[in-house]
């Protein structure tokens, strides 16, 4: 059984399956289209929404967190690029795991990618709804409040009003209370939902269903608009920057800065979605690696610049708002610019929704082609040349939760699945180098021998942590074993992984850059809350049940092995 669970697909086998399997996808994407799709995915709800909360918690120093996270993503992007040049087929990290670690890990990573794309799209749809409602109100159109938010917000506001009184509620809570009080009732249950979030998901799904060419054109136009407005914010905002707003630079210390990890990392997820379009690229082995690196560098520069401008225009304490870019110009009295930003933000966030909605069906299509999901998921529309059934299912999976769930429920959960995928891709490059598969790669991660560097780096990190960290050895001893297990288990796993990597790097001369990618992603993982990990583990358990109930029996790879 173990042999069947961890049976790997060879690169030649994957390429042959894609070539002779009759995927039927249209090959029309060039490097500029891929860069556009990458920017569309990365520059979305993160820069227009979650960047405000991260700045509120960390102050101007959050700009350094963007640099750090971009730094982490570069190592991951290099690893993705090597895999994409070696295995230029749809499937992203799922396909790469099939090559490096075998079928069970491929399923797990595919299931984690479902979480990344579907859940992140729910966040994007909800964020889009907030900007859209604000834009309509700017034009004097006011939708009923009970049609514009998740029921959880209204129920929380109602409960709080009963406890402390309506007068004590914040403005946003008063709006939620209004939704509760004005909502129609069904057996005295208030009917509250986020209609714009569901509606935009349906419309974008319809566009993705119609075709990759139409999606690419729409994406290119929207990317031009949103990059233009971001540059306008940067260069226009410079004139309103007050250097005193950058002091103190890190008002809440390192803890405050790192508390924004989930929000900042959420801003960067999406560059991996480029690899899901491999079978629709004209020259995937050349263009995919270039596009990944280019779009990541471009977006990192934009994020750092705009964070410094925002925190320079207003005090960081003012940035805990859902539309920070529009807010800062309203704050300095430039209402005309704020209105333009509100309108273009709707367009910008739509492009991010489009790319994620494009990526998810292609993951399912690839898993179905391998026999791990129902055959219907790999159906290609005869006219539109898109994975039609998988696209429709994706629309339902995203639209229904977006109608009823809070945005903050999803943000951290998205990051957990993404970190997990990134770690396996970086580790997969180490396997490719060790097994000789890298000889087939047209792009390779630059090799730096980590034989001594990884171990020496760990010794230096331990010394610095002991000397400068607030959580020294005495603090850990005071916590007790139970609390350490609950709150610090991921930190322990991080150090153990580094120790194992040190030994293996010394023994096998591991390439340094993928090792750094593994360690940085694992460290960022350890900064997320335990509750997110519990939900993620439950999600993986559900995935394993589906795999053993269906995928294990219908796997084409295992059927071939049995027949031979």
């Amino acid at each position: 059984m173990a042999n069947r669970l961890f049976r790997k697909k060879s690169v030649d086998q994957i390429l042959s399956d894609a070539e002779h399997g009759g995927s039927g996808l249209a090959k029309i994407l060039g490097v500029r289209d891929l860069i556009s799709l990458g920017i569309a995915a990365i520059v979305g709800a993160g820069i227009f929404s979650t960047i405000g909360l991260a700045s509120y918690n960390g102050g101007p120093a959050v700009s350094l967190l963007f640099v750090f996270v971009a730094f982490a993503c570069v190592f991951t992007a290099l690893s993705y690029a090597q895999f994409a040049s070696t295995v230029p087929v749809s499937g992203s990290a799922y396909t790469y795991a099939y090559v490096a670690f075998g079928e069970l890990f491929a399923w797990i990573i595919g299931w984690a990618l479902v979480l990344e794309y579907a859940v992140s799209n729910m966040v994007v749809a909800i964020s889009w709804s907030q900007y859209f409602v604000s834009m309509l109100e700017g034009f004097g159109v006011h939708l009923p409040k009970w049609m514009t938010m998740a029921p959880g917000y209204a129920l929380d506001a109602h409960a709080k009003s009963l406890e402390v009184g309506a007068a004590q509620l914040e403005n946003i809570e008063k709006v939620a209370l209004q939704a509760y009080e004005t909502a129609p009732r069904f057996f005295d249950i208030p009917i509250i939902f986020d209609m714009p979030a569901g509606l935009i998901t349906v419309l974008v799904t319809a566009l993705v269903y119609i075709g990759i060419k139409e999606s690419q054109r729409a994406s290119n136009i929207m990317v031009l608009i949103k990059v233009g407005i971001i540059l306008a914010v940067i260069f226009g905002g410079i004139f309103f920057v007050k250097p005193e707003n950058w002091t103190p630079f890190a008002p809440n210390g390192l803890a405050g800065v790192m508390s924004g990890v989930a929000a900042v990392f959420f801003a960067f997820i999406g560059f991996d979605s480029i690899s899901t379009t491999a079978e629709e690229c004209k020259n995937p082995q050349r263009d995919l690696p270039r596009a990944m690196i280019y779009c990541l560098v471009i977006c990192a520069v934009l994020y750092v610049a705009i964070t410094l401008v925002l925190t320079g225009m207003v005090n960081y304490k003012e940035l805990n708002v859902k539309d920070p870019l529009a807010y800062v110009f309203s704050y300095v009295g430039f209402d005309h610019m704020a209105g333009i930003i509100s309108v273009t933000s709707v367009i910008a966030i739509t492009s991010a929704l489009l790319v994620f909605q494009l990526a998810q069906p292609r993951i399912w299509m690839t898993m179905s082609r391998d026999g791990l999901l129902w055959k219907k998921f790999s159906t290609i529309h005869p006219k539109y040349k898109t994975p039609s059934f998988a696209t429709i299912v994706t629309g339902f999976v995203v639209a229904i939760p977006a109608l009823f769930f809070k945005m903050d429920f999803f943000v951290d959960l998205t990051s957990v699945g993404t970190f997990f995928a990134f770690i396996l891709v970086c580790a997969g490059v180490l396997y490719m180098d060790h097994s000789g598969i890298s000889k087939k790669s047209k792009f390779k991660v630059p090799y730096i021998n980590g034989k001594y560097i990884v171990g020496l780096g760990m010794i230096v990190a331990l010394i610095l942590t002991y000397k400068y960290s607030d959580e020294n050895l005495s603090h850990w001893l005071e916590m007790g074993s139970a609390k350490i297990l609950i709150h610090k288990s991921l930190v322990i796993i991080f150090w153990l992984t580094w120790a194992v990597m040190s030994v293996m790097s010394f023994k096998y001369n591991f390439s340094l850059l993928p090792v750094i990618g593994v360690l940085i992603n694992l460290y960022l993982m350890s900064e997320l809350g335990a509750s997110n990990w519990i939900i993620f583990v439950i999600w993986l358990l559900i995935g394993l049940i589906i795999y053993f109930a269906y995928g294990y029996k219908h796997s084409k790879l295992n059927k071939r092995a049995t027949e031979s």
Side-chain angles (χ1 to χ4, degrees):
M1 182 177 180
N3 288 338
R4 292 185 64 180
L5 290 176
F6 299 105
R7 195 184 302 277
K8 301 177 180 70
K9 291 185 77 170
S10 68
V11 174
D12 292 337
Q13 190 175 13
I14 289 176
L15 295 176
S16 176
D17 288 347
E19 185 178 348
H20 301 109
S23 71
L25 297 174
K27 293 182 177 293
I28 58 114
L29 299 177
V31 68
R32 282 185 294 182
D33 299 317
L34 293 169
I35 292 172
S36 177
L37 288 171
I39 294 174
I42 298 172
V43 182
I47 202 165
F48 286 97
S49 182
T50 58
I51 194 174
L53 178 60
S55 299
Y56 172 77
N57 289 327
V62 163
S63 57
L64 299 181
L65 183 57
F66 276 109
V67 174
F68 179 60
V69 173
F71 184 67
C73 287
V74 164
F75 296 113
T76 308
L78 289 170
S79 298
Y80 263 97
Q82 178 165 329
F83 265 114
S85 74
T86 313
V87 196
V89 299
S90 296
S92 185
Y94 159 77
T95 302
Y96 309 156
Y98 224 142
V99 172
F101 303 110
E103 184 169 287
L104 181 61
F105 275 102
W107 170 266
I108 290 172
I109 207 66
W111 193 244
L113 286 173
V114 171
L115 191 69
E116 174 188 343
Y117 291 128
V119 175
S120 61
N121 244 2
M122 295 169 199
V123 176
V124 175
I126 295 167
S127 180
W128 184 94
S129 172
Q130 293 174 340
Y131 269 97
F132 180 71
V133 171
S134 297
M135 182 191 74
L136 289 182
E137 289 175 351
F139 288 106
V141 179
H142 297 274
L143 295 176
K145 301 302 180 186
W146 54 270
M147 293 175 59
T148 64
M149 69 179 65
Y153 292 118
L155 294 172
D156 289 348
H158 173 66
K160 188 174 179 179
S161 70
L162 295 177
E163 184 180 341
V164 301
Q168 301 299 316
L169 298 181
E170 297 179 7
N171 287 337
I172 194 167
E173 292 172 327
K174 289 178 180 177
V175 173
L177 180 62
Q178 182 186 346
Y180 181 86
E181 293 173 343
T182 58
R185 256 59 177 179
F186 181 75
F187 290 107
D188 204 36
I189 299 172
I191 300 173
I192 303 169
F193 57 94
D194 195 339
M195 184 192 70
L199 185 60
I200 188 60
T201 304
V202 171
L203 293 175
V204 168
T205 302
L207 176 61
V208 172
Y209 182 89
I210 290 171
I212 185 69
K213 184 178 290 186
E214 291 74 13
S215 301
Q216 165 236 333
R217 287 173 180 169
S219 174
N220 287 347
I221 293 169
M222 288 187 283
V223 165
L224 285 174
I225 292 171
K226 73 175 169 185
V227 170
I229 197 64
I230 288 169
L231 292 175
V233 170
I234 293 170
F235 291 109
I238 287 174
F239 297 102
F240 298 96
V241 167
K242 296 178 181 178
E244 58 266 28
N245 285 329
W246 289 330
T247 305
F249 194 66
N252 299 315
L254 182 61
V257 175
M258 293 307 295
S259 68
V261 163
V264 169
F265 191 80
F266 175 77
F268 274 102
I269 67 169
F271 75 83
D272 59 324
S273 62
I274 300 172
S275 62
T276 66
T277 63
E279 290 177 45
E280 289 146 297
C281 298
K282 296 174 185 175
N283 190 344
Q285 291 179 307
R286 181 196 67 190
D287 294 344
L288 282 172
R290 290 183 182 181
M292 287 181 186
I293 303 302
Y294 290 161
C295 75
L296 192 59
V297 171
I298 292 168
C299 293
V301 171
L302 290 176
Y303 273 132
V304 172
I306 206 162
T307 306
L308 289 172
V309 169
L310 289 181
T311 53
M313 289 177 70
V314 304
N315 188 278
Y316 72 95
K317 294 178 182 177
E318 302 286 342
L319 288 173
N320 189 18
V321 292
K322 64 184 180 182
D323 50 354
L325 271 65
Y327 174 80
V328 293
F329 281 97
S330 294
Y331 187 89
V332 298
F334 203 175
D335 292 329
H336 197 64
M337 185 65 176
I340 294 172
I341 291 171
S342 292
V343 174
T344 51
S345 296
V346 172
I347 298 171
I349 298 174
T350 305
S351 68
L353 187 65
L354 185 148
V355 176
F356 286 126
Q357 209 68 352
L358 194 73
Q360 178 66 83
R362 283 148 182 79
I363 299 290
W364 276 339
M365 175 194 75
T366 310
M367 296 172 77
S368 172
R369 225 157 46 185
D370 290 332
L372 304 186
L373 279 179
W374 185 29
K375 190 176 180 180
K376 192 78 173 172
F377 279 94
S378 57
T379 302
I380 303 299
H381 195 283
K383 178 182 178 182
Y384 300 129
K385 306 299 181 184
T386 58
S388 50
F389 179 78
T391 301
I392 293 171
V393 173
T394 300
F396 279 106
V397 167
V398 174
I400 294 173
L403 285 168
F404 301 108
F405 284 89
K406 293 181 178 181
M407 184 167 73
D408 48 4
F409 174 77
F410 295 119
V411 174
D412 286 358
L413 195 57
T414 302
S415 297
V416 175
T418 309
F419 282 132
F420 191 72
F422 284 7
I423 287 170
L424 282 189
V425 170
C426 291
V429 169
L430 297 175
Y431 169 80
M432 289 173 70
D433 289 345
H434 179 67
S435 62
I437 297 176
S438 293
K439 292 176 182 177
K440 300 180 180 180
S441 305
K442 294 195 175 181
F443 172 89
K444 294 181 182 179
V445 177
Y447 180 78
I448 300 172
N449 194 337
K451 186 178 185 74
Y452 301 107
I453 301 175
V454 178
L456 289 173
M458 180 179 177
I459 293 170
V460 172
L462 283 169
I463 293 170
L464 292 175
T465 301
Y466 179 78
K467 193 170 182 179
Y468 295 107
S469 176
D470 295 332
E471 297 183 0
N472 53 32
L473 186 60
S474 59
H475 175 77
W476 279 60
L477 293 174
E478 290 171 6
M479 290 179 67
S481 56
K483 285 188 177 180
I484 289 175
L485 187 63
I486 295 171
H487 299 290
K488 300 296 181 182
S489 54
L490 284 173
V491 177
I492 295 170
I493 291 172
F494 167 74
W495 288 109
L496 288 175
T497 302
W498 199 338
V500 171
M501 283 288 185
S502 299
V503 174
M504 295 185 74
S505 296
F506 182 82
K507 187 175 181 180
Y508 299 113
N509 295 317
F510 275 174
S511 176
L512 180 63
L513 301 189
V515 171
I516 294 175
V518 170
L519 294 175
I520 291 181
N521 282 304
L522 188 57
Y523 171 72
L524 292 173
M525 254 181 150
S526 68
E527 293 293 324
L528 299 177
S531 60
N532 301 302
W533 278 100
I534 294 170
I535 297 172
F536 181 63
V537 169
I538 293 171
W539 175 259
L540 288 184
L541 289 175
I542 293 170
L544 288 173
I545 291 170
I546 295 172
Y547 171 73
F548 284 107
Y550 184 88
Y552 181 74
K553 298 176 184 176
H554 296 85
S555 165
K556 290 184 179 179
L557 183 62
N558 283 323
K559 281 184 178 179
R560 287 174 189 163
T562 304
E563 290 169 1
S564 60

